[in-house]
Amino acid sequence: MQGWNGLKYFITIVAVCMRTAMLLKGNKDKLGWKISAWIFSVTAAVVGTYWDLVYDWGLLNRKSKNRWLRDKLLVPEKKIYFIAIALNILLRFAWMQTVLGGFKSLHTQASTTFVACLEIIRRGIWNFFRLENEHLNNVGKYRAFKTVPMPFNYDEDEDKDD
C-alpha cells in the first residue's frame, strides 16, 4: 500500500516538473511539454482525489449502511460529507488552472498565491476527515479508546464513609 502511495506522490512530482519545463521552454517545443504536463497533471489529480476519498477518508463505500460514505460517521449531517467530497474534487482540480493558463487576467504571482490559498483550504478540510477516519479505525480495532479510564473509582470512596 505504501508503494502505491509513493507512486501517487511521484506522479505529482513529475506533473510539476513537466509544467516547469513547459514554462522554461518558451515557444520552442512548447506543445509537447504542454501535452505531457496535461497528462501527468490530470493523472495526478484523479489519483490524488481517489486516494483522498477512499483511503484517507474511508468514503465512497457502496456497501456501507450510509450509502457512499462509511458505516460510522462522527458528523451527524451526512450532507456535510458530500459537500466535503465536492469541495475536495473542485479544489484538487483548481491548481490545474495554472497548467491550462486559466488565470490570464491575474498576474502570475497573484494566481499562484490564489491557488496556494485554495490548496491550504483543501488540506484543512482533508485533515479533518482524515483524522476522523483514523480515529474511527483506531477505536474500531481497539487501538484506542473513546474514553480514558480514571485512576480512581467513585464507588470505593463511598464505601469508606460508611
Side-chain angles (χ1 to χ4, degrees):
M1 196 57 119
Q2 297 303 322
W4 290 112
N5 194 21
L7 183 63
K8 173 188 75 161
Y9 284 109
F10 178 74
I11 292 170
T12 303
I13 291 168
V14 171
V16 170
C17 290
M18 293 293 170
R19 182 185 175 277
T20 303
M22 176 189 74
L23 293 174
L24 293 176
K25 282 292 181 183
N27 289 334
K28 190 170 147 185
D29 194 32
K30 191 172 185 174
L31 183 62
W33 288 106
K34 190 167 192 165
I35 291 170
S36 297
W38 252 87
I39 290 169
F40 279 98
S41 296
V42 169
T43 303
V46 169
V47 169
T49 301
Y50 179 80
W51 193 276
D52 285 352
L53 300 177
V54 174
Y55 294 107
D56 289 342
W57 293 3
L59 302 177
L60 299 183
N61 185 357
R62 281 184 274 161
K63 297 175 184 173
S64 170
K65 68 179 183 179
N66 299 308
R67 189 151 175 86
W68 295 109
L69 301 176
R70 65 175 107 80
D71 287 336
K72 292 185 179 181
L73 303 172
L74 293 181
V75 178
E77 290 290 327
K78 292 179 189 175
K79 66 182 173 184
I80 298 295
Y81 291 93
F82 292 109
I83 291 169
I85 289 170
L87 273 174
N88 189 50
I89 292 169
L90 181 71
L91 295 175
R92 173 74 76 165
F93 281 88
W95 72 275
M96 293 242 343
Q97 293 301 315
T98 59
V99 176
L100 303 172
F103 296 117
K104 298 227 185 257
S105 61
L106 290 176
H107 188 273
T108 305
Q109 289 178 336
S111 65
T112 302
T113 302
F114 179 69
V115 170
C117 289
L118 292 177
E119 181 64 11
I120 290 168
I121 292 167
R122 187 194 71 78
R123 286 178 185 243
I125 295 168
W126 174 89
N127 195 30
F128 176 83
F129 291 101
R130 173 69 174 105
L131 287 174
E132 177 195 47
N133 186 44
E134 188 67 23
H135 172 71
L136 290 172
N137 284 334
N138 285 339
V139 169
K141 295 176 182 166
Y142 302 105
R143 293 183 293 206
F145 300 96
K146 285 185 179 180
T147 61
V148 177
M150 302 305 278
F152 50 84
N153 188 344
Y154 287 111
D155 295 335
E156 291 177 8
D157 292 339
E158 290 175 6
D159 292 339
K160 289 180 183 178
D161 292 338
D162 290 337

